[in-house]
Amino acid sequence: MPPMKCTVVTPERTALEQEATFVVVPLFDGELGIAPGHTPLIGRLGYGELRVTRPDGGKDRHYVDGGFVQVVEETVTILTGR
């Protein structure tokens, strides 16, 4: 499957915009794994580690301080305070 687009937006700027083959977000009640073709959803984020697997197999880790996640088609958008 083709990769997804993962975007992280804070009040100040777009903090991250990259392609991903898998994204793990910290929800307020656990973790959620998102792969290409995932059903659309909106979820409330908790505090913790956002893990993004790149198409080359590398992994990036970022801290998320609450907010919301939206999955629409092949786009994962994360709105967070920092």
Side-chain angles (χ1 to χ4, degrees):
M1 284 192 118
M4 307 175 289
K5 179 180 174 186
C6 181
T7 305
V8 177
V9 180
T10 67
E12 293 84 27
R13 63 187 174 94
T14 299
L16 176 72
E17 195 166 6
Q18 72 181 60
E19 289 190 337
T21 56
F22 195 71
V23 178
V24 178
V25 295
L27 295 179
F28 75 99
D29 60 351
E31 288 187 330
L32 173 68
I34 303 165
H38 196 282
T39 186
L41 72 84
I42 294 176
R44 191 174 89 192
L45 294 173
Y47 303 93
E49 186 178 61
L50 164 68
R51 298 187 304 272
V52 180
T53 303
R54 298 185 308 264
D56 65 5
K59 295 183 180 179
D60 296 323
R61 300 176 190 285
H62 307 278
Y63 177 77
V64 176
D65 193 13
F68 296 92
V69 60
Q70 177 186 33
V71 179
V72 177
E73 295 178 0
E74 299 303 318
T75 303
V76 178
T77 305
I78 297 164
L79 307 172
T80 185
R82 60 181 184 150

